[in-house]
Amino acid sequence: MVNNQIIGDRDTLVSPLSPEDLAALRDSLHEQRLFREEQLRQIATVPSRADELIQRRSAAQTEVRVKLAASARMVLADVEAALERMAEGRYGICHLCRRPIDRERLVVVPQARYCARCQQVREAGR
């Protein structure tokens, strides 16, 4: 069983996630990992008539493939980090304010590092 307590500077925060929630979110993260790994394999696959196709492939198509691969790698890294936090008992706690991340947010974005409020602050600062 994973311990979901995080000891902060002033008090102890406990994730509002039940063991069932954690199991479902872990399954979701594993599915996301498999999906992204397959996506990267497909992007990297070179068709058998590679020379002919590469000559016809436009720079725009190549750029799209590069951006798709970068995005998939970024999401995969976030998923891996979330699984690591889960294994260490740190999952579901905001990296900025150290408060629990709402269950509803984690269901939608299981790899979330920040609560909705802190995510908005980060995005506003960009």
Side-chain angles (χ1 to χ4, degrees):
M1 181 183 286
V2 175
N3 178 4
N4 271 351
Q5 288 192 333
I6 301 296
I7 299 174
D9 294 334
R10 297 185 191 151
D11 54 354
T12 300
L13 298 175
V14 179
S15 172
L17 301 171
S18 70
E20 294 79 17
D21 289 336
L22 282 170
L25 289 164
R26 185 179 299 108
D27 289 346
S28 178
L29 287 165
H30 283 294
E31 287 177 23
Q32 181 72 246
R33 177 177 23 183
L34 291 173
F35 174 80
R36 295 302 173 175
E37 288 171 344
E38 178 60 26
Q39 185 181 31
L40 286 168
R41 274 192 290 279
Q42 288 179 6
I43 290 169
T45 301
V46 178
S48 58
R49 297 184 306 151
D51 293 337
E52 181 182 332
L53 291 173
I54 288 172
Q55 288 174 357
R56 283 195 261 156
R57 183 176 294 146
S58 71
Q61 288 172 320
T62 301
E63 184 178 347
V64 167
R65 289 174 63 89
V66 167
K67 287 183 178 183
L68 280 173
S71 177
R73 281 191 297 275
M74 188 170 62
V75 173
L76 182 58
D78 287 345
V79 167
E80 294 288 349
L83 287 167
E84 185 176 314
R85 289 191 304 276
M86 194 175 277
E88 295 171 350
R90 300 182 296 113
Y91 181 78
I93 303 300
C94 179
H95 283 211
L96 289 179
C97 70
R98 310 285 293 159
R99 292 191 173 105
I101 300 171
D102 289 336
R103 178 189 174 280
E104 294 77 19
R105 175 163 168 70
L106 290 170
V107 168
V108 175
V109 186
Q111 68 270 23
R113 295 174 190 259
Y114 308 102
C115 67
R117 185 176 57 96
C118 290
Q119 184 68 41
Q120 288 176 335
V121 169
R122 285 179 49 81
E123 290 174 3
R126 289 183 182 172

